[in-house]
Amino acid sequence: MHISHRSVVGCLAGVALGIGSTVIVQRLQEQRLPQPGESQSRPIPALTSPLLLKGEPALGDATAPLTIVEFSDFECSYCRRFHEQVMPQLKSEYIDTGLIRFVHKDLPLPFHPHALPAAAAARCASEQNSYWDLYAALFDQQNCLNCKGVLAIAAEEELNTAALQACMERKSTVALINANRSEASLHNISATPTFVIGPTQSDGSLDGRVIEGALPWSTFKSTIDEALREVPRN
């Protein structure tokens, strides 16, 4: 899990769920466990208003009982861990079965030089009906973002890279990503990945619980099942 913070040159990882969770602060090659009683140096994320979901990339049934929003960074190693270890089971057991709608929001962190172009490329792939294909490829080839670049990865997915690059350079594309960043900041969301889980709303918004970190599948699953039990049934 990575954190965007002015005084942090590195990333924060761990699971911030429940009592006894461990937070790891990583600065370059130094890792330090917080000491007992040590105060939190940043505000705790919580929604101050519903998230706006209209126009964001989404998987699953729009009328699914539960919606999960991820704030993610394509260069974040913990986001890749979620993509590799959790997303396949989440998709097969909950998204494909109509129980969950999964929505992506971009939170490219400033110390990741390839995160913003990757976010722009993925959004622009939507114009070629290939958002989720490039989403997966960018995480699968995260270690190649530096040596290949996003356009080369997109070319391997048979995308029109000239059209993709033209879209990536539009001010409107960057504006969409910056709107996600601003929304995250409003709710004190600065870590990637961060998830918001709540009942699906017909007005295209989401209010719910904020969870930080690349949780193991067993924990993520139990959190989802608890949230599903709390969804009002007609």
Side-chain angles (χ1 to χ4, degrees), residues 28-83:
L28 296 179
Q29 296 180 351
E30 176 189 4
Q31 292 189 338
R32 178 180 64 84
L33 289 175
Q35 299 302 309
E38 185 176 31
S39 63
Q40 186 84 357
S41 61
R42 61 191 180 93
I44 296 173
L47 295 191
T48 58
S49 59
L51 296 177
L52 304 177
L53 306 185
K54 186 177 180 179
E56 302 291 0
L59 273 178
D61 191 336
T63 62
L66 203 66
T67 293
I68 297 178
V69 172
E70 71 161 354
F71 285 87
S72 188
D73 172 317
F74 286 105
E75 205 172 350
C76 158
S77 60
Y78 301 100
C79 299
R80 180 181 179 180
R81 180 186 298 173
F82 170 81
H83 167 75

Side-chain angles (χ1 to χ4, degrees), residues 66-187:
L66 203 66
T67 293
I68 297 178
V69 172
E70 71 161 354
F71 285 87
S72 188
D73 172 317
F74 286 105
E75 205 172 350
C76 158
S77 60
Y78 301 100
C79 299
R80 180 181 179 180
R81 180 186 298 173
F82 170 81
H83 167 75
E84 293 177 340
Q85 300 180 6
V86 175
M87 189 63 177
Q89 296 176 92
L90 177 65
K91 188 174 184 300
S92 63
E93 294 186 29
Y94 293 94
I95 298 173
D96 292 346
T97 57
L99 292 173
I100 282 178
R101 183 184 185 216
F102 184 83
V103 179
H104 174 87
K105 282 182 177 283
D106 291 304
L107 187 54
L109 304 181
F111 49 86
H112 285 158
H114 306 289
L116 180 57
R123 283 189 173 267
C124 289
S126 295
E127 296 185 354
Q128 301 180 45
N129 298 315
S130 297
Y131 177 86
W132 294 103
D133 293 329
L134 189 54
Y135 168 99
L138 289 168
F139 279 124
D140 289 342
Q141 298 198 56
Q142 188 180 84
N143 293 337
C144 298
L145 284 171
N146 183 45
C147 55
K148 282 186 180 181
V150 295
L151 290 177
I153 295 173
E156 293 174 356
E157 295 300 309
E158 300 184 350
L159 284 146
N160 181 328
T161 55
L164 192 74
Q165 185 171 16
C167 172
M168 289 169 64
E169 293 172 356
R170 289 182 208 149
K171 291 181 179 179
S172 58
T173 300
V174 178
L176 288 171
I177 297 169
N178 285 336
N180 281 185
R181 284 169 151 173
S182 296
E183 191 174 34
S185 178
L186 176 67
H187 306 296

Side-chain angles (χ1 to χ4, degrees), residues 175-230:
L176 288 171
I177 297 169
N178 285 336
N180 281 185
R181 284 169 151 173
S182 296
E183 191 174 34
S185 178
L186 176 67
H187 306 296
N188 294 319
I189 294 172
S190 58
T192 56
T194 290
F195 304 91
V196 179
I197 302 178
T200 299
Q201 304 296 321
S202 60
D203 64 356
S205 66
L206 180 69
D207 197 359
R209 178 183 182 185
V210 180
I211 298 173
E212 291 184 298
L215 307 179
W217 170 242
S218 59
T219 304
F220 209 88
K221 178 178 171 58
S222 64
T223 302
I224 291 170
D225 290 340
E226 179 184 352
L228 282 169
R229 287 192 294 269
E230 294 173 355

